Amino acid sequence: MATTRILEGLGRFYIVLLLGFLYLPIIIMAAMSFNASPFYQLPFEWTTDWYASLWQNDQLIAATWNSIEIAVITTLISTVLGSMASLALYRYEFRGKKFLQALLFPPIAIPWLITGTAMLIFFFGVGIGRGLIAILLGHVALALPYVIVVVSARLQTFAPELEEAARSLGANQWQVTMRVTLPWILPGVIAGGLFAFAVSFDQFVVSYFLSTPGQTTLPVEIYAAIRKGFTPEINAVSTIIIVVSMALMLLTARFFKFGGEK
Amino acid sequence: MADQLAIGSRRGLRPALPLLLPAYLWLTVAIFLPLSAMVFFSFMTDLPLAGKDWAFTLGNYAAFFSQSLYSTLLFASLRLGLEVTLWCVVIGYPAAYVLAKVLKGRSREAIFLLVILPFWSNGLVRIFSWAMVLREGGILDTALNAVLPFKINIDLMYSYPAVIIGLVHSYVPYMVLTCYLTLQAIDDSLIEAGRSLGASRRQVLWRVIIPLSMPGLIAGSALIFVPVVGSFMEPRILGGRTGTFYGTVIEDQFVAVFNWPLGAALSFILLAVVLIILALAAPVLRRAG
């Protein structure tokens, strides 16, 4: 059994290495946002100037507001529409249901490069053009499948007898949904909403093809800045984004088990 | 009918429609119609905008097949996808195994979350963070030179390995997730049975564990391969001039050269490749799901 011990120890060590690989670059990037040298030179000298100068960058602030606005609206729309669709897929049996469920996968599985360029062509063709409306249309479509998958997973744990009981006690469809079903699936709905926010807030590719110079989101603005050359200011705004999205996902994890364990 | 009611599911599309329509209409307008429009435009000489003349043509596809540049780049992207996927298997599978079979309880939960967490943070920012590590005078360079007695120059930035490292970093959590899910479902008594019947560790690994976790490996590979083949931002940022791939050429058609019909044709060819790969993986994915 000594070999088993050694192997398990090696396994644990390996996990530590993997976590190092995953987190070190991010930590270094964050550290550099507090370093005084504009050319990332060491030794390290503490400063918060780069964060202060973010406040002077009107373009970046405008893009940030756009990102937040779009993410909030995307969350609201996709959570409501997605939960409705999940309920229908859960409650009713009809022909073509399998097909409707299969339709949820293209938006997730097809590379965003293809979806994004296709949206650009279509929105241009029908006169919507580029801009915040186009970005919103795209983000909701990308977030919807995630919401439906997450809410449906939660619905699997819901006993349909509860709906039947409420119905036989005289509740109408609306009351059944709002008073019986929704409270039960609420953790799933909240998790789906948080997923939707993350999908939208972190989305770069689709936003990139659909934005115009005045109407753009934060990741698109960062990409443009990176391609012009690196400055610690990019590190600062990137650090803020990473902290926000990781905090969001930790919050999501409270409502939704990723591991598939009970 | 009584039975149907008892289990709560009810027949008919009609009552389901009001709940389904908004979501699926949205998906139609923002995903399925655009994909169809892309196919349509890929057969045009020019966009029918602002009174420009246009006609149907096969020229955009002819360009792909007549100029070796495009097929060469498509193969370069497919190779990139293959290499990144293999690295993700090599790095991610052992980690998934340790998570599923060695770690227990709260520490497993916490570490699993830590592995998945960066995956849900901004991909662009994580790629950018590698620029800090890989460039000359970056952290890797400085750290190695502080430790090593001789002077070396690590300047991996703007190279093929940099693109690989960045993409593996971005996608390896996928592999850990899918393999973990299938490995976790393997009953420990199967492994013990194999061992007690005299199989070596290696035999148990190859004859029991790997075959049973194959669905996770294939699902993870499909989920990684497909987006990597279509990647353009990662090669641009970490690959510099060496980072020209199929995805970057498509990007160029839309944001630099403005040859949208050619871009649409190139996108559609990529979509076809992607769909073939997904179709091949679909039976396994379905069983795993």
Side-chain angles (χ1 to χ4, degrees):
Chain A
M1 283 299 102
T3 349
T4 313
R5 276 280 166 72
I6 294 169
L7 284 176
E8 287 189 359
L10 276 177
R12 290 207 171 83
F13 178 66
Y14 180 72
I15 291 282
V16 173
L17 280 184
L18 180 75
L19 288 178
F21 172 68
L22 288 177
Y23 283 92
L24 268 183
I26 299 173
I27 292 169
I28 289 165
M29 181 199 72
M32 284 301 170
S33 70
F34 293 106
N35 186 11
S37 161
F39 307 107
Y40 304 107
Q41 262 155 1
L42 300 171
F44 190 84
E45 252 179 89
W46 174 269
T47 179
T48 51
D49 287 356
W50 304 113
Y51 288 88
S53 70
L54 283 183
W55 289 110
Q56 314 298 322
N57 193 332
D58 292 336
Q59 216 176 331
L60 216 53
I61 290 175
T64 308
W65 277 118
N66 288 342
S67 272
I68 294 174
E69 230 170 72
I70 287 178
V72 168
I73 302 173
T74 298
T75 307
L76 290 175
I77 296 177
S78 61
T79 311
V80 172
L81 300 192
S83 302
M84 282 163 59
S86 311
L87 266 180
L89 291 170
Y90 170 78
R91 268 188 198 150
Y92 302 102
E93 284 303 326
F94 49 87
R95 285 180 56 185
K97 184 168 150 180
K98 284 256 151 63
F99 176 69
L100 283 188
Q101 282 166 330
L103 278 185
L104 296 175
F105 288 98
I108 297 179
I110 293 175
W112 287 329
L113 170 69
I114 299 176
T115 332
T117 51
M119 285 176 185
L120 171 60
I121 291 173
F122 179 71
F123 293 161
F124 233 95
V126 297
I128 298 171
R130 280 182 285 197
L132 294 180
I133 298 290
I135 295 176
L136 182 68
L137 272 171
H139 282 198
V140 172
L142 293 180
L144 265 176
Y146 287 98
V147 175
I148 298 178
V149 167
V150 171
V151 174
S152 295
R154 178 70 189 179
L155 273 167
Q156 291 300 320
T157 68
F158 177 71
E161 292 83 6
L162 289 176
E163 282 200 347
E164 283 315 310
R167 238 175 246 127
S168 63
L169 289 171
N172 62 32
Q173 191 68 42
W174 177 252
Q175 286 169 320
V176 169
T177 306
M178 296 316 272
R179 302 248 183 103
V180 179
T181 320
L182 190 63
W184 179 267
I185 62 168
L186 197 61
V189 174
I190 293 173
L194 289 167
F195 261 105
F197 191 93
V199 166
S200 169
F201 191 71
D202 290 334
Q203 177 54 244
F204 159 68
V205 177
V206 167
S207 315
Y208 173 61
F209 287 110
L210 296 178
S211 65
T212 56
Q215 304 194 357
T216 171
T217 65
L218 190 51
V220 179
E221 206 54 49
I222 292 176
Y223 182 66
I226 289 174
R227 295 200 62 185
K228 269 186 243 156
F230 313 149
T231 66
E233 216 177 290
I234 307 176
N235 292 48
V237 68
S238 299
T239 305
I240 294 173
I241 290 198
I242 285 274
V243 169
V244 168
S245 51
M246 284 198 176
L248 261 179
M249 278 337 272
L250 283 176
L251 200 62
T252 316
R254 284 190 57 126
F255 292 97
F256 185 76
K257 280 262 181 226
F258 293 99
E261 296 170 277
K262 258 134 247 141
Chain B
M1 193 61 199
D3 281 350
Q4 285 293 332
L5 277 179
I7 61 158
S9 57
R10 298 187 289 162
R11 297 207 159 272
L13 180 59
R14 192 174 298 223
L17 266 187
L19 290 172
L20 283 173
L21 262 185
Y24 278 89
L25 266 181
W26 199 298
L27 286 177
T28 307
V29 168
I31 304 269
F32 300 115
L33 283 179
L35 287 176
S36 324
M38 190 182 74
V39 178
F40 187 66
F41 276 109
S42 70
F43 289 103
M44 287 183 168
T45 49
D46 207 338
L47 288 186
L49 295 170
K52 272 193 253 174
D53 283 334
W54 62 275
F56 284 107
T57 175
L58 286 171
N60 300 311
Y61 290 93
F64 175 84
F65 289 103
S66 65
Q67 292 176 34
S68 62
L69 170 72
Y70 299 121
S71 46
T72 309
L73 285 174
L74 182 56
F75 275 109
S77 284
L78 290 171
R79 193 185 128 202
L80 182 72
L82 206 63
E83 279 183 39
V84 170
T85 308
L86 280 178
W87 279 112
C88 287
V89 171
V90 170
I91 295 172
Y93 190 83
Y97 184 84
V98 175
L99 268 175
K101 294 297 177 201
V102 177
L103 298 175
K104 307 248 153 35
R106 287 193 72 87
S107 67
R108 173 205 274 189
E109 232 171 86
I111 290 181
F112 185 78
L113 193 60
L114 274 178
V115 173
I116 298 303
L117 195 57
F119 183 64
W120 279 101
S121 65
N122 195 289
L124 174 72
V125 166
R126 278 185 297 145
I127 288 295
F128 168 65
S129 75
W130 275 102
M132 298 289 106
V133 178
L134 296 176
R135 61 199 221 10
E136 193 187 354
I139 294 299
L140 196 61
D141 199 31
T142 315
L144 280 178
N145 278 316
V147 178
L148 294 173
F150 48 89
K151 171 90 182 146
I152 52 163
N153 263 334
I154 303 279
D155 187 11
L156 279 175
M157 196 56 191
Y158 306 127
S159 70
Y160 188 69
V163 179
I164 298 264
I165 293 172
L167 284 166
V168 170
H169 181 252
S170 294
Y171 288 104
V172 77
Y174 251 146
M175 190 59 81
V176 179
L177 176 66
T178 57
C179 290
Y180 170 78
L181 290 177
T182 50
L183 280 168
Q184 195 201 219
I186 298 176
D187 196 335
D188 282 342
S189 57
L190 279 176
I191 298 168
E192 280 156 30
R195 289 286 284 157
S196 67
L197 288 172
S200 68
R201 277 178 213 281
R202 182 179 300 220
Q203 281 173 316
V204 170
L205 178 67
W206 284 102
R207 302 266 186 89
V208 180
I209 299 170
I210 289 183
L212 283 174
S213 54
M214 206 41 104
L217 273 170
I218 292 180
S221 301
L223 288 174
I224 292 168
F225 185 81
V226 165
V228 170
V229 173
S231 64
F232 71 94
M233 164 271 279
E234 297 89 346
R236 277 255 197 265
I237 295 176
L238 294 177
R241 224 172 295 157
T242 61
T244 307
F245 287 94
Y246 195 70
T248 58
V249 170
I250 296 180
E251 182 206 4
D252 277 341
Q253 303 309 318
F254 286 96
V255 301
V257 191
F258 296 107
N259 189 347
W260 287 16
L262 178 61
L266 294 176
S267 264
F268 182 63
I269 291 167
L270 180 61
L271 180 61
V273 172
V274 163
L275 288 179
I276 290 168
I277 292 160
L278 286 178
L280 289 177
V284 190
L285 286 174
R286 210 170 297 138
R287 241 178 296 149

